[in-house]
Amino acid sequence: MGFLSDFKNLTDYFNEQDYSNQITFYSETANDWQHLSEIIKVLIKKTNFKILYICSDYNDHGLNFKEKNFKSYVINNKYLLTWLFKNIKTKLMLMTLPDLNQYYLKRSKYLVHYIYIPHSLSSLHSIYRKGAFDHFDSLFCVGPHHIQEARKLEEIYRLKKKNLIEFGYSKIDNLIKSYKNFHKEKIDKINFLIAPTWGDNCIINNGKVIEVMDHIKLLGHNIILRPHPITVRESSDIINNIISRYEDYSNFIYEPSTDNNQTLFMSDVLISDWSGVAYEFAFGLKKPVLFIDTPRKIKNIDYDKIGIDSFEFYAREMVGEFFDPTKKYDLKNINTVNDDQIKKRIFSLGNSANVACEYISNIMK
């Protein structure tokens, strides 16, 4: 696995090209498959389009997916990817990666229609860099907040209007569908899942997670620690210290993978800071969330100029409440989201892949 392997895959991809009937998906990390897979499966079931899947992670689940009209390729080398993006000939390209045309992954010199697929319910103008979505032709939107934000950004920066599609959120649809078949064992203790965001201000890196875990331990409940993949990669020393601190507590579980939905299903309460998984947990499973207040995660230097509060800020009180280190928690005394709130915030609930298929089919025609 290296340059020669990537170059062969690049060559194989271009040998498959059929502009009139071809759709290309790009997946940067293994986590992207959970956002792209349902759309791909519906397209395979309902259409005859040739689907080519380029990924940059050797652990991507898309590499194990075998279906007629679907082919996958690993291209991890940065220089080959740069060349590929500039020279790609495909009618449509779909991706969950923002910042198209801002860094080394540029729009093709040929006519390609680019569609952005959301990998979070979070707002478009806060946790993403300025201009993150400017070079897409179509945006698949989770809910009304994405429509409002995208149009406001177009107005402020005098951008060409994009096609904004009332798409919804594939991961939540998949959570809802899979959770129906989950049967949890009855236990006396509450399963607290701690799943923060990443970075210096996340509760793992700033140490606030210790106060939280000590309180849950005092109450005698179960603790599941699931760090963000970037935290696992970049802050292993901090995580190892936490594991050592609680290794003698029999109700402690360390879960380094974010791919397994079973962890979400078995958990009763989620504790987080600014991670998007909080809203997947709340809206998809209708379970309570406890938030730890930390400095906001804002990457857009123009956030204050836009004049719209971010979804991840004002939705906190809707889906849960702030963690209280003096409160004796049980499942009856934590706020949860209701069905009406979910339907108002997420488009096409349970049907996002079909919405995507219909829109893609219309463009291909």
Side-chain angles (χ1 to χ4, degrees):
M1 294 186 290
F3 180 86
L4 292 179
S5 174
D6 284 9
F7 184 77
K8 181 182 182 302
N9 286 334
L10 179 69
T11 305
D12 290 346
Y13 169 81
F14 274 93
N15 287 338
E16 286 288 340
Q17 289 205 324
D18 176 10
Y19 182 82
S20 63
N21 196 47
Q22 178 183 300
I23 300 171
T24 301
F25 285 79
Y26 174 64
S27 168
E28 183 192 25
T29 72
N31 288 328
D32 290 354
W33 178 250
Q34 62 190 320
H35 302 288
L36 303 174
S37 58
E38 294 304 310
I39 299 173
I40 290 170
K41 290 172 185 177
V42 172
L43 284 170
I44 289 172
K45 181 179 179 181
K46 293 188 174 183
T47 74
N48 291 316
F49 301 133
K50 182 187 291 184
I51 298 173
L52 305 182
Y53 185 84
I54 301 169
C55 58
S56 296
D57 189 332
Y58 293 101
N59 296 314
D60 197 303
H61 297 296
L63 295 172
N64 301 318
F65 184 70
K66 309 298 179 186
E67 285 287 347
K68 182 183 176 182
N69 291 334
F70 178 88
K71 289 191 176 183
S72 57
Y73 311 85
V74 180
I75 303 175
N76 178 263
N77 182 275
K78 181 177 178 179
Y79 298 103
L80 292 179
L81 270 177
T82 301
W83 188 90
L84 167 68
F85 267 71
K86 285 183 179 178
N87 295 277
I88 201 165
K89 294 180 181 178
T90 185
K91 202 162 189 177
L92 281 180
M93 190 167 192
L94 298 93
M95 53 204 288
T96 68
L97 183 69
D99 293 316
L100 175 66
N101 219 57
Q102 299 227 98
Y103 298 98
Y104 67 95
L105 298 181
K106 307 292 186 181
R107 284 184 65 108
S108 174
K109 63 185 180 184
Y110 300 103
L111 184 62
V112 177
H113 188 103
Y114 290 87
I115 299 177
Y116 177 76
I117 300 174
H119 63 265
S120 170
L121 283 81
S122 299
S123 286
L124 304 177
H125 65 300
S126 53
I127 68 168
Y128 301 100
R129 298 179 186 91
K130 177 183 177 182
F133 308 100
D134 289 0
H135 298 280
F136 287 93
D137 301 292
S138 298
L139 299 183
F140 282 1
C141 300
V142 168
H145 61 290
H146 278 177
I147 302 282
Q148 181 190 20
E149 293 155 7
R151 291 295 183 230
K152 186 69 173 178
L153 290 169
E154 290 169 353
E155 176 189 334
I156 290 174
Y157 299 115
R158 299 180 181 178
L159 303 172
K160 178 182 175 182
K161 283 197 171 185
K162 300 172 188 64
N163 303 318
L164 304 183
I165 313 306
E166 295 185 2
F167 167 69
Y169 194 50
S170 290
K171 188 175 180 182
I172 280 185
D173 290 349
N174 192 39
L175 282 176
I176 292 171
K177 183 170 65 175
S178 301
Y179 191 51
K180 290 178 181 178
N181 301 318
F182 178 77
H183 300 286
K184 182 186 174 186
E185 296 179 7
K186 291 185 177 180
I187 55 175
D188 295 331
K189 297 179 176 64
I190 299 174
N191 289 331
F192 284 89
L193 173 62
I194 302 176
T197 187
W198 60 277
D200 292 339
N201 288 324
C202 85
I203 59 173
I204 288 179
N205 288 49
N206 68 16
K208 288 191 175 184
V209 71
I210 299 299
E211 179 185 26
V212 175
M213 293 175 69
D214 281 351
H215 184 59
I216 298 172
K217 179 181 178 181
L218 185 65
L219 297 175
H221 293 304
N222 297 326
I223 303 170
I224 306 168
L225 179 65
R226 193 182 84 158
H228 192 282
I230 296 178
T231 307
V232 173
R233 186 172 69 241
E234 297 182 356
S235 304
S236 58
D237 290 347
I238 297 174
I239 292 174
N240 289 335
N241 288 336
I242 294 172
I243 293 172
S244 297
R245 182 183 177 96
Y246 297 98
E247 61 184 354
D248 294 332
Y249 182 54
S250 60
N251 297 327
F252 169 66
I253 299 172
Y254 173 61
E255 175 55 74
S257 173
T258 59
D259 289 342
N260 187 0
N261 287 334
Q262 298 299 307
T263 305
L264 298 177
F265 296 161
M266 67 184 287
S267 300
D268 301 299
V269 182
L270 185 139
I271 298 177
S272 189
D273 37 34
W274 293 103
S275 175
V277 72
Y279 303 101
E280 295 164 6
F281 188 82
F283 288 110
L285 307 179
K286 290 189 280 190
K287 295 181 180 182
V289 178
L290 297 174
F291 291 98
I292 311 299
D293 205 20
T294 61
R296 295 179 66 176
K297 185 178 173 183
I298 297 176
K299 289 186 178 179
N300 188 343
I301 58 174
D302 283 353
Y303 174 76
D304 292 332
K305 298 179 183 178
I306 295 164
I308 303 175
D309 272 338
S310 63
F311 174 84
E312 56 272 22
F313 176 71
Y314 61 75
R316 281 178 152 194
E317 293 183 2
M318 186 190 308
V319 303
E321 59 191 60
F322 286 98
F323 176 78
D324 183 346
T326 65
K327 189 172 182 178
K328 189 173 183 180
Y329 284 105
D330 62 57
L331 294 180
K332 296 177 182 178
N333 66 358
I334 311 174
N335 181 41
T336 57
V337 70
N338 60 49
D339 289 338
D340 287 340
Q341 290 171 319
I342 296 172
K343 289 177 181 178
K344 287 178 182 178
R345 298 297 176 184
I346 301 175
F347 292 132
S348 312
L349 198 63
N351 198 44
S352 62
N354 288 314
V355 171
C357 181
E358 182 178 355
Y359 180 71
I360 291 166
S361 298
N362 288 335
I363 291 183
M364 292 296 286
K365 290 174 184 175

